[in-house]
Amino acid sequence: MRKVSLLGFALLSLHVFGQTNYLDEYRTWSIGGGIGHTYMLGDLKSFQQGRDQYTRANARGGFTVAGYGHITKFINPFFGLQAALTAGRVTGTPGTQSGNIPGRHFIGSIIVPEINASINFINAFRIGEVRPTKHSFIGSVGYGFAIYDYEVYINNTPTPNYTAGFNWRQAVAVPVGFNYKYRLSNTWDFDAGIKGFFFNSDLIDGTVYGSTNDQVIFTSVGATYNFGTKAGKKESVVYRSPVSDLYEFTASVRRDMDKITKDDDGDGVPNMFDKEPNTAKGAVVDGAGRALDVDGDGIPDHLDEDPFSPKGAKVDSKGRELDSDGDGVPDSRDLEPNTPKGSLVDVRGRAIKSVGGGLNDAFIPQVYFAVNSALVTSANAERLAVVARLLNANPDMKLKVIGHTDKTGGEEYNRRLGQRRADAVVDYLVRNFGIDKSRFTTESAGKSQPLSPRLLNINRRVEFIIQ
């Protein structure tokens, strides 16, 4: 019952919700033909025992060739209309159990123009199927008008009423067929079929015996060319099922909904729009889910230990500006990139020749901190190494270490935070580089001396003054 309901829904959908638009996607017209064999089922039949006794080879009930052609229009994926023509030879013999017609055998010709209704059986049962198919099974039933002629022999001799030449007779035919189609391409199909012709006459074989009308079975192979009214068509509509397409569409919507609602990397951008679906946890991203790189140095901010490098500056794998001579001045600003280690330099990396009047121009790198933190991070290790080299190269040098904060928070809180930052830097230099603690004095400026009114991260710092 569920299949019938879905089938009905699919047909209704085609009619009500844009049948033309759906069919425009596929080829609905086809033309084709093929050849095959006819099998006579009348008072005289094909391939009967004892047929070798008849000397007329073409009237011995053997193999006979026939051909067919058709043009078909599918109204929807389930139903189509077909105009066809089948023509060929038929022959038969009485066999060994044929009552009072022994010795009769015949050869005849038959032509059947027909109009058929075609039913695509596979689409009626592809409920839930979403995989593309290359197979189709088409059933057909219709109405035909047969014209035929025959030559009847008795023991190899023409019957007395035999008239040479064509003497066409007429009969009504009901064709019932079944055709298997295999998609070779979007335009071509291979066909294999069987069709029965049921006549309203018992004279197709030239013999009237009993009360049963004659039938002819036609088996065939052939090819079909599929086409449509618009260019760029896909395959024939017989290989598509609107029910399957509905399932596929629903599944696609479900997948898209999952992409819209799921965020596997937790960056706040749904999978469907996430250009970097494996962003590290905690990374700040843009609207497309790509990790931000504010300074454009190629190192995402969540990995960048110096996220405000000057534009175009060369950085290491952690985003820190390169400082080839280790004087604390990055190469991008260093006018003397080969200063000897331990040299005291100014802000442009130029060596200060003597400790004296030029001492106030000396450059000592600053140390930066995270929000509400006094932890000396690894990003500051190289900066403090520069400070340690300066102190070791100048044993009489003493430094005032001043802690600063940004503008958030109260005065007293920031005073204490600035002091903790200054103490943490001194402790780092003492523990890691062995500098005598007596060479330092510390104080806190709190939030009273900001370097920038907008860049809060620059204000969270510790700076050094030579005493």
Side-chain angles (χ1 to χ4, degrees), residues 41-74:
L41 289 174
D43 302 312
L44 305 180
K45 298 177 175 63
S46 300
F47 298 106
Q48 296 295 293
Q49 293 181 4
R51 65 189 181 87
D52 293 339
Q53 63 181 295
Y54 305 110
T55 58
R56 291 183 178 273
N58 62 350
R60 294 169 61 186
F63 183 83
T64 50
V65 176
Y68 75 95
H70 74 87
I71 183 168
T72 304
K73 166 66 175 179
F74 264 84

PDB file of all heavy atoms in Angstrom, residues 41-74:
ATOM      1  N   LEU A  41       1.796 -19.481 -33.959  1.00  0.00           N
ATOM      2  CA  LEU A  41       0.974 -20.285 -33.052  1.00  0.00           C
ATOM      3  C   LEU A  41      -0.463 -20.274 -33.576  1.00  0.00           C
ATOM      4  O   LEU A  41      -1.295 -19.469 -33.166  1.00  0.00           O
ATOM      5  CB  LEU A  41       1.014 -19.694 -31.634  1.00  0.00           C
ATOM      6  CG  LEU A  41       2.324 -19.837 -30.873  1.00  0.00           C
ATOM      7  CD1 LEU A  41       2.252 -19.086 -29.554  1.00  0.00           C
ATOM      8  CD2 LEU A  41       2.642 -21.307 -30.624  1.00  0.00           C
ATOM      9  N   GLY A  42      -0.716 -21.151 -34.536  1.00  0.00           N
ATOM     10  CA  GLY A  42      -2.057 -21.285 -35.093  1.00  0.00           C
ATOM     11  C   GLY A  42      -2.393 -22.754 -35.262  1.00  0.00           C
ATOM     12  O   GLY A  42      -1.898 -23.614 -34.522  1.00  0.00           O
ATOM     13  N   ASP A  43      -3.231 -23.027 -36.229  1.00  0.00           N
ATOM     14  CA  ASP A  43      -3.468 -24.433 -36.536  1.00  0.00           C
ATOM     15  C   ASP A  43      -2.187 -25.072 -37.047  1.00  0.00           C
ATOM     16  O   ASP A  43      -1.929 -26.258 -36.828  1.00  0.00           O
ATOM     17  CB  ASP A  43      -4.583 -24.555 -37.578  1.00  0.00           C
ATOM     18  CG  ASP A  43      -5.876 -23.908 -37.083  1.00  0.00           C
ATOM     19  OD1 ASP A  43      -6.259 -24.200 -35.937  1.00  0.00           O
ATOM     20  OD2 ASP A  43      -6.456 -23.094 -37.819  1.00  0.00           O
ATOM     21  N   LEU A  44      -1.376 -24.270 -37.735  1.00  0.00           N
ATOM     22  CA  LEU A  44      -0.028 -24.664 -38.136  1.00  0.00           C
ATOM     23  C   LEU A  44       0.959 -23.876 -37.290  1.00  0.00           C
ATOM     24  O   LEU A  44       0.762 -22.696 -37.029  1.00  0.00           O
ATOM     25  CB  LEU A  44       0.169 -24.381 -39.625  1.00  0.00           C
ATOM     26  CG  LEU A  44      -0.866 -25.006 -40.575  1.00  0.00           C
ATOM     27  CD1 LEU A  44      -0.556 -24.648 -42.019  1.00  0.00           C
ATOM     28  CD2 LEU A  44      -0.944 -26.514 -40.397  1.00  0.00           C
ATOM     29  N   LYS A  45       2.036 -24.537 -36.898  1.00  0.00           N
ATOM     30  CA  LYS A  45       2.953 -23.931 -35.927  1.00  0.00           C
ATOM     31  C   LYS A  45       4.386 -24.027 -36.405  1.00  0.00           C
ATOM     32  O   LYS A  45       4.734 -24.902 -37.224  1.00  0.00           O
ATOM     33  CB  LYS A  45       2.831 -24.609 -34.554  1.00  0.00           C
ATOM     34  CG  LYS A  45       1.459 -24.491 -33.913  1.00  0.00           C
ATOM     35  CD  LYS A  45       1.418 -25.239 -32.597  1.00  0.00           C
ATOM     36  CE  LYS A  45       0.104 -25.033 -31.871  1.00  0.00           C
ATOM     37  NZ  LYS A  45      -1.043 -25.563 -32.647  1.00  0.00           N
ATOM     38  N   SER A  46       5.220 -23.189 -35.843  1.00  0.00           N
ATOM     39  CA  SER A  46       6.655 -23.224 -36.148  1.00  0.00           C
ATOM     40  C   SER A  46       7.337 -24.339 -35.369  1.00  0.00           C
ATOM     41  O   SER A  46       6.924 -24.690 -34.251  1.00  0.00           O
ATOM     42  CB  SER A  46       7.305 -21.882 -35.794  1.00  0.00           C
ATOM     43  OG  SER A  46       6.721 -20.827 -36.520  1.00  0.00           O
ATOM     44  N   PHE A  47       8.376 -24.886 -35.985  1.00  0.00           N
ATOM     45  CA  PHE A  47       9.280 -25.839 -35.333  1.00  0.00           C
ATOM     46  C   PHE A  47       8.538 -27.062 -34.788  1.00  0.00           C
ATOM     47  O   PHE A  47       8.754 -27.485 -33.657  1.00  0.00           O
ATOM     48  CB  PHE A  47      10.068 -25.156 -34.213  1.00  0.00           C
ATOM     49  CG  PHE A  47      10.941 -24.038 -34.698  1.00  0.00           C
ATOM     50  CD1 PHE A  47      10.596 -22.716 -34.463  1.00  0.00           C
ATOM     51  CD2 PHE A  47      12.102 -24.302 -35.413  1.00  0.00           C
ATOM     52  CE1 PHE A  47      11.374 -21.682 -34.925  1.00  0.00           C
ATOM     53  CE2 PHE A  47      12.897 -23.268 -35.867  1.00  0.00           C
ATOM     54  CZ  PHE A  47      12.540 -21.957 -35.636  1.00  0.00           C
ATOM     55  N   GLN A  48       7.682 -27.660 -35.603  1.00  0.00           N
ATOM     56  CA  GLN A  48       6.970 -28.877 -35.210  1.00  0.00           C
ATOM     57  C   GLN A  48       7.751 -30.124 -35.628  1.00  0.00           C
ATOM     58  O   GLN A  48       8.566 -30.098 -36.560  1.00  0.00           O
ATOM     59  CB  GLN A  48       5.576 -28.905 -35.857  1.00  0.00           C
ATOM     60  CG  GLN A  48       4.662 -27.785 -35.395  1.00  0.00           C
ATOM     61  CD  GLN A  48       4.342 -27.913 -33.931  1.00  0.00           C
ATOM     62  OE1 GLN A  48       3.665 -28.851 -33.514  1.00  0.00           O
ATOM     63  NE2 GLN A  48       4.832 -26.970 -33.138  1.00  0.00           N
ATOM     64  N   GLN A  49       7.499 -31.235 -34.902  1.00  0.00           N
ATOM     65  CA  GLN A  49       8.128 -32.495 -35.282  1.00  0.00           C
ATOM     66  C   GLN A  49       7.638 -32.940 -36.652  1.00  0.00           C
ATOM     67  O   GLN A  49       6.475 -32.737 -37.016  1.00  0.00           O
ATOM     68  CB  GLN A  49       7.805 -33.568 -34.239  1.00  0.00           C
ATOM     69  CG  GLN A  49       8.424 -33.302 -32.879  1.00  0.00           C
ATOM     70  CD  GLN A  49       8.102 -34.408 -31.890  1.00  0.00           C
ATOM     71  OE1 GLN A  49       7.463 -35.408 -32.251  1.00  0.00           O
ATOM     72  NE2 GLN A  49       8.550 -34.236 -30.654  1.00  0.00           N
ATOM     73  N   GLY A  50       8.513 -33.558 -37.406  1.00  0.00           N
ATOM     74  CA  GLY A  50       8.150 -34.074 -38.725  1.00  0.00           C
ATOM     75  C   GLY A  50       8.212 -33.043 -39.830  1.00  0.00           C
ATOM     76  O   GLY A  50       7.869 -33.352 -40.976  1.00  0.00           O
ATOM     77  N   ARG A  51       8.662 -31.812 -39.541  1.00  0.00           N
ATOM     78  CA  ARG A  51       8.643 -30.790 -40.584  1.00  0.00           C
ATOM     79  C   ARG A  51       9.678 -31.035 -41.664  1.00  0.00           C
ATOM     80  O   ARG A  51       9.587 -30.456 -42.764  1.00  0.00           O
ATOM     81  CB  ARG A  51       8.858 -29.412 -39.963  1.00  0.00           C
ATOM     82  CG  ARG A  51      10.203 -29.178 -39.311  1.00  0.00           C
ATOM     83  CD  ARG A  51      10.206 -27.865 -38.538  1.00  0.00           C
ATOM     84  NE  ARG A  51      11.489 -27.585 -37.914  1.00  0.00           N
ATOM     85  CZ  ARG A  51      12.499 -26.954 -38.506  1.00  0.00           C
ATOM     86  NH1 ARG A  51      12.352 -26.537 -39.752  1.00  0.00           N
ATOM     87  NH2 ARG A  51      13.621 -26.737 -37.876  1.00  0.00           N
ATOM     88  N   ASP A  52      10.647 -31.921 -41.403  1.00  0.00           N
ATOM     89  CA  ASP A  52      11.681 -32.184 -42.412  1.00  0.00           C
ATOM     90  C   ASP A  52      11.158 -32.916 -43.635  1.00  0.00           C
ATOM     91  O   ASP A  52      11.852 -33.012 -44.658  1.00  0.00           O
ATOM     92  CB  ASP A  52      12.829 -32.989 -41.778  1.00  0.00           C
ATOM     93  CG  ASP A  52      13.589 -32.190 -40.740  1.00  0.00           C
ATOM     94  OD1 ASP A  52      13.504 -30.949 -40.797  1.00  0.00           O
ATOM     95  OD2 ASP A  52      14.243 -32.801 -39.870  1.00  0.00           O
ATOM     96  N   GLN A  53       9.956 -33.469 -43.559  1.00  0.00           N
ATOM     97  CA  GLN A  53       9.409 -34.208 -44.710  1.00  0.00           C
ATOM     98  C   GLN A  53       8.963 -33.278 -45.837  1.00  0.00           C
ATOM     99  O   GLN A  53       8.728 -33.736 -46.951  1.00  0.00           O
ATOM    100  CB  GLN A  53       8.216 -35.059 -44.262  1.00  0.00           C
ATOM    101  CG  GLN A  53       7.053 -34.226 -43.743  1.00  0.00           C
ATOM    102  CD  GLN A  53       5.895 -35.054 -43.279  1.00  0.00           C
ATOM    103  OE1 GLN A  53       5.266 -35.752 -44.088  1.00  0.00           O
ATOM    104  NE2 GLN A  53       5.623 -35.003 -41.966  1.00  0.00           N
ATOM    105  N   TYR A  54       8.867 -31.963 -45.522  1.00  0.00           N
ATOM    106  CA  TYR A  54       8.394 -31.041 -46.541  1.00  0.00           C
ATOM    107  C   TYR A  54       9.586 -30.456 -47.290  1.00  0.00           C
ATOM    108  O   TYR A  54      10.564 -30.000 -46.691  1.00  0.00           O
ATOM    109  CB  TYR A  54       7.553 -29.942 -45.922  1.00  0.00           C
ATOM    110  CG  TYR A  54       6.405 -30.489 -45.098  1.00  0.00           C
ATOM    111  CD1 TYR A  54       6.389 -30.384 -43.715  1.00  0.00           C
ATOM    112  CD2 TYR A  54       5.351 -31.157 -45.727  1.00  0.00           C
ATOM    113  CE1 TYR A  54       5.357 -30.906 -42.970  1.00  0.00           C
ATOM    114  CE2 TYR A  54       4.308 -31.682 -44.988  1.00  0.00           C
ATOM    115  CZ  TYR A  54       4.317 -31.561 -43.619  1.00  0.00           C
ATOM    116  OH  TYR A  54       3.296 -32.098 -42.880  1.00  0.00           O
ATOM    117  N   THR A  55       9.463 -30.510 -48.612  1.00  0.00           N
ATOM    118  CA  THR A  55      10.623 -30.132 -49.440  1.00  0.00           C
ATOM    119  C   THR A  55      10.702 -28.634 -49.702  1.00  0.00           C
ATOM    120  O   THR A  55      11.759 -28.140 -50.097  1.00  0.00           O
ATOM    121  CB  THR A  55      10.561 -30.872 -50.783  1.00  0.00           C
ATOM    122  OG1 THR A  55       9.321 -30.543 -51.448  1.00  0.00           O
ATOM    123  CG2 THR A  55      10.629 -32.372 -50.567  1.00  0.00           C
ATOM    124  N   ARG A  56       9.632 -27.913 -49.523  1.00  0.00           N
ATOM    125  CA  ARG A  56       9.692 -26.461 -49.723  1.00  0.00           C
ATOM    126  C   ARG A  56      10.305 -25.831 -48.468  1.00  0.00           C
ATOM    127  O   ARG A  56       9.648 -25.699 -47.441  1.00  0.00           O
ATOM    128  CB  ARG A  56       8.304 -25.909 -49.993  1.00  0.00           C
ATOM    129  CG  ARG A  56       7.739 -26.336 -51.337  1.00  0.00           C
ATOM    130  CD  ARG A  56       6.380 -25.706 -51.585  1.00  0.00           C
ATOM    131  NE  ARG A  56       5.867 -26.079 -52.890  1.00  0.00           N
ATOM    132  CZ  ARG A  56       6.132 -25.434 -54.029  1.00  0.00           C
ATOM    133  NH1 ARG A  56       6.914 -24.372 -53.986  1.00  0.00           N
ATOM    134  NH2 ARG A  56       5.627 -25.840 -55.186  1.00  0.00           N
ATOM    135  N   ALA A  57      11.566 -25.461 -48.584  1.00  0.00           N
ATOM    136  CA  ALA A  57      12.328 -25.027 -47.397  1.00  0.00           C
ATOM    137  C   ALA A  57      11.708 -23.825 -46.711  1.00  0.00           C
ATOM    138  O   ALA A  57      11.715 -23.719 -45.479  1.00  0.00           O
ATOM    139  CB  ALA A  57      13.774 -24.706 -47.792  1.00  0.00           C
ATOM    140  N   ASN A  58      11.129 -22.907 -47.491  1.00  0.00           N
ATOM    141  CA  ASN A  58      10.581 -21.706 -46.882  1.00  0.00           C
ATOM    142  C   ASN A  58       9.198 -21.924 -46.297  1.00  0.00           C
ATOM    143  O   ASN A  58       8.591 -21.008 -45.755  1.00  0.00           O
ATOM    144  CB  ASN A  58      10.552 -20.555 -47.880  1.00  0.00           C
ATOM    145  CG  ASN A  58       9.666 -20.863 -49.089  1.00  0.00           C
ATOM    146  OD1 ASN A  58       9.227 -22.004 -49.271  1.00  0.00           O
ATOM    147  ND2 ASN A  58       9.423 -19.849 -49.914  1.00  0.00           N
ATOM    148  N   ALA A  59       8.652 -23.132 -46.408  1.00  0.00           N
ATOM    149  CA  ALA A  59       7.329 -23.430 -45.861  1.00  0.00           C
ATOM    150  C   ALA A  59       7.382 -24.626 -44.921  1.00  0.00           C
ATOM    151  O   ALA A  59       6.423 -25.381 -44.798  1.00  0.00           O
ATOM    152  CB  ALA A  59       6.326 -23.676 -46.999  1.00  0.00           C
ATOM    153  N   ARG A  60       8.506 -24.758 -44.218  1.00  0.00           N
ATOM    154  CA  ARG A  60       8.694 -25.934 -43.365  1.00  0.00           C
ATOM    155  C   ARG A  60       8.598 -25.597 -41.874  1.00  0.00           C
ATOM    156  O   ARG A  60       8.999 -26.373 -41.033  1.00  0.00           O
ATOM    157  CB  ARG A  60      10.055 -26.559 -43.656  1.00  0.00           C
ATOM    158  CG  ARG A  60      10.130 -27.139 -45.091  1.00  0.00           C
ATOM    159  CD  ARG A  60      11.551 -27.502 -45.463  1.00  0.00           C
ATOM    160  NE  ARG A  60      12.097 -28.512 -44.585  1.00  0.00           N
ATOM    161  CZ  ARG A  60      13.365 -28.914 -44.645  1.00  0.00           C
ATOM    162  NH1 ARG A  60      14.192 -28.361 -45.525  1.00  0.00           N
ATOM    163  NH2 ARG A  60      13.811 -29.828 -43.814  1.00  0.00           N
ATOM    164  N   GLY A  61       8.082 -24.405 -41.561  1.00  0.00           N
ATOM    165  CA  GLY A  61       7.914 -24.055 -40.146  1.00  0.00           C
ATOM    166  C   GLY A  61       9.217 -23.775 -39.421  1.00  0.00           C
ATOM    167  O   GLY A  61       9.325 -24.000 -38.215  1.00  0.00           O
ATOM    168  N   GLY A  62      10.224 -23.257 -40.143  1.00  0.00           N
ATOM    169  CA  GLY A  62      11.520 -22.984 -39.527  1.00  0.00           C
ATOM    170  C   GLY A  62      11.706 -21.524 -39.167  1.00  0.00           C
ATOM    171  O   GLY A  62      10.754 -20.792 -38.888  1.00  0.00           O
ATOM    172  N   PHE A  63      12.960 -21.093 -39.197  1.00  0.00           N
ATOM    173  CA  PHE A  63      13.314 -19.738 -38.809  1.00  0.00           C
ATOM    174  C   PHE A  63      12.837 -18.749 -39.869  1.00  0.00           C
ATOM    175  O   PHE A  63      13.060 -18.950 -41.064  1.00  0.00           O
ATOM    176  CB  PHE A  63      14.831 -19.627 -38.631  1.00  0.00           C
ATOM    177  CG  PHE A  63      15.281 -18.284 -38.168  1.00  0.00           C
ATOM    178  CD1 PHE A  63      15.244 -17.944 -36.835  1.00  0.00           C
ATOM    179  CD2 PHE A  63      15.728 -17.344 -39.098  1.00  0.00           C
ATOM    180  CE1 PHE A  63      15.666 -16.695 -36.406  1.00  0.00           C
ATOM    181  CE2 PHE A  63      16.146 -16.098 -38.683  1.00  0.00           C
ATOM    182  CZ  PHE A  63      16.109 -15.770 -37.330  1.00  0.00           C
ATOM    183  N   THR A  64      12.181 -17.693 -39.426  1.00  0.00           N
ATOM    184  CA  THR A  64      11.720 -16.647 -40.343  1.00  0.00           C
ATOM    185  C   THR A  64      12.135 -15.290 -39.798  1.00  0.00           C
ATOM    186  O   THR A  64      12.093 -15.052 -38.593  1.00  0.00           O
ATOM    187  CB  THR A  64      10.191 -16.682 -40.505  1.00  0.00           C
ATOM    188  OG1 THR A  64       9.581 -16.708 -39.213  1.00  0.00           O
ATOM    189  CG2 THR A  64       9.744 -17.904 -41.305  1.00  0.00           C
ATOM    190  N   VAL A  65      12.529 -14.408 -40.682  1.00  0.00           N
ATOM    191  CA  VAL A  65      13.035 -13.091 -40.290  1.00  0.00           C
ATOM    192  C   VAL A  65      11.904 -12.063 -40.346  1.00  0.00           C
ATOM    193  O   VAL A  65      11.066 -12.083 -41.242  1.00  0.00           O
ATOM    194  CB  VAL A  65      14.193 -12.647 -41.200  1.00  0.00           C
ATOM    195  CG1 VAL A  65      14.650 -11.222 -40.854  1.00  0.00           C
ATOM    196  CG2 VAL A  65      15.357 -13.607 -41.077  1.00  0.00           C
ATOM    197  N   ALA A  66      11.912 -11.175 -39.347  1.00  0.00           N
ATOM    198  CA  ALA A  66      10.973 -10.064 -39.316  1.00  0.00           C
ATOM    199  C   ALA A  66      11.710  -8.834 -38.796  1.00  0.00           C
ATOM    200  O   ALA A  66      12.803  -8.939 -38.213  1.00  0.00           O
ATOM    201  CB  ALA A  66       9.777 -10.380 -38.437  1.00  0.00           C
ATOM    202  N   GLY A  67      11.136  -7.690 -39.009  1.00  0.00           N
ATOM    203  CA  GLY A  67      11.730  -6.454 -38.524  1.00  0.00           C
ATOM    204  C   GLY A  67      10.670  -5.528 -37.950  1.00  0.00           C
ATOM    205  O   GLY A  67       9.469  -5.742 -38.135  1.00  0.00           O
ATOM    206  N   TYR A  68      11.115  -4.518 -37.234  1.00  0.00           N
ATOM    207  CA  TYR A  68      10.169  -3.573 -36.642  1.00  0.00           C
ATOM    208  C   TYR A  68      10.794  -2.184 -36.576  1.00  0.00           C
ATOM    209  O   TYR A  68      12.018  -2.016 -36.636  1.00  0.00           O
ATOM    210  CB  TYR A  68       9.761  -4.005 -35.226  1.00  0.00           C
ATOM    211  CG  TYR A  68      10.845  -3.764 -34.193  1.00  0.00           C
ATOM    212  CD1 TYR A  68      10.858  -2.596 -33.428  1.00  0.00           C
ATOM    213  CD2 TYR A  68      11.872  -4.693 -33.980  1.00  0.00           C
ATOM    214  CE1 TYR A  68      11.843  -2.361 -32.492  1.00  0.00           C
ATOM    215  CE2 TYR A  68      12.865  -4.465 -33.048  1.00  0.00           C
ATOM    216  CZ  TYR A  68      12.847  -3.299 -32.305  1.00  0.00           C
ATOM    217  OH  TYR A  68      13.844  -3.062 -31.378  1.00  0.00           O
ATOM    218  N   GLY A  69       9.941  -1.201 -36.466  1.00  0.00           N
ATOM    219  CA  GLY A  69      10.359   0.168 -36.240  1.00  0.00           C
ATOM    220  C   GLY A  69       9.341   0.856 -35.342  1.00  0.00           C
ATOM    221  O   GLY A  69       8.176   0.441 -35.278  1.00  0.00           O
ATOM    222  N   HIS A  70       9.758   1.892 -34.644  1.00  0.00           N
ATOM    223  CA  HIS A  70       8.826   2.573 -33.740  1.00  0.00           C
ATOM    224  C   HIS A  70       9.251   4.013 -33.523  1.00  0.00           C
ATOM    225  O   HIS A  70      10.425   4.381 -33.702  1.00  0.00           O
ATOM    226  CB  HIS A  70       8.769   1.863 -32.377  1.00  0.00           C
ATOM    227  CG  HIS A  70       9.989   2.099 -31.534  1.00  0.00           C
ATOM    228  ND1 HIS A  70      10.130   3.175 -30.696  1.00  0.00           N
ATOM    229  CD2 HIS A  70      11.148   1.381 -31.428  1.00  0.00           C
ATOM    230  CE1 HIS A  70      11.309   3.125 -30.100  1.00  0.00           C
ATOM    231  NE2 HIS A  70      11.954   2.038 -30.518  1.00  0.00           N
ATOM    232  N   ILE A  71       8.326   4.834 -33.124  1.00  0.00           N
ATOM    233  CA  ILE A  71       8.582   6.158 -32.577  1.00  0.00           C
ATOM    234  C   ILE A  71       7.744   6.272 -31.309  1.00  0.00           C
ATOM    235  O   ILE A  71       6.565   5.910 -31.309  1.00  0.00           O
ATOM    236  CB  ILE A  71       8.267   7.284 -33.573  1.00  0.00           C
ATOM    237  CG1 ILE A  71       8.629   8.647 -32.948  1.00  0.00           C
ATOM    238  CG2 ILE A  71       6.818   7.245 -34.044  1.00  0.00           C
ATOM    239  CD1 ILE A  71       8.635   9.780 -33.948  1.00  0.00           C
ATOM    240  N   THR A  72       8.380   6.720 -30.227  1.00  0.00           N
ATOM    241  CA  THR A  72       7.751   6.680 -28.900  1.00  0.00           C
ATOM    242  C   THR A  72       7.884   8.034 -28.223  1.00  0.00           C
ATOM    243  O   THR A  72       8.928   8.685 -28.305  1.00  0.00           O
ATOM    244  CB  THR A  72       8.403   5.589 -28.026  1.00  0.00           C
ATOM    245  OG1 THR A  72       8.325   4.339 -28.702  1.00  0.00           O
ATOM    246  CG2 THR A  72       7.695   5.485 -26.674  1.00  0.00           C
ATOM    247  N   LYS A  73       6.841   8.427 -27.536  1.00  0.00           N
ATOM    248  CA  LYS A  73       6.855   9.632 -26.714  1.00  0.00           C
ATOM    249  C   LYS A  73       6.405   9.263 -25.303  1.00  0.00           C
ATOM    250  O   LYS A  73       5.293   8.778 -25.101  1.00  0.00           O
ATOM    251  CB  LYS A  73       5.907  10.686 -27.298  1.00  0.00           C
ATOM    252  CG  LYS A  73       5.584  11.850 -26.361  1.00  0.00           C
ATOM    253  CD  LYS A  73       6.786  12.721 -26.059  1.00  0.00           C
ATOM    254  CE  LYS A  73       6.367  13.943 -25.209  1.00  0.00           C
ATOM    255  NZ  LYS A  73       7.530  14.792 -24.879  1.00  0.00           N
ATOM    256  N   PHE A  74       7.301   9.493 -24.314  1.00  0.00           N
ATOM    257  CA  PHE A  74       6.911   9.247 -22.927  1.00  0.00           C
ATOM    258  C   PHE A  74       6.329  10.522 -22.341  1.00  0.00           C
ATOM    259  O   PHE A  74       6.972  11.574 -22.322  1.00  0.00           O
ATOM    260  CB  PHE A  74       8.096   8.744 -22.104  1.00  0.00           C
ATOM    261  CG  PHE A  74       8.119   7.241 -22.003  1.00  0.00           C
ATOM    262  CD1 PHE A  74       8.684   6.480 -23.016  1.00  0.00           C
ATOM    263  CD2 PHE A  74       7.529   6.601 -20.930  1.00  0.00           C
ATOM    264  CE1 PHE A  74       8.683   5.100 -22.946  1.00  0.00           C
ATOM    265  CE2 PHE A  74       7.520   5.218 -20.848  1.00  0.00           C
ATOM    266  CZ  PHE A  74       8.090   4.458 -21.856  1.00  0.00           C
TER     267      PHE A  74
END
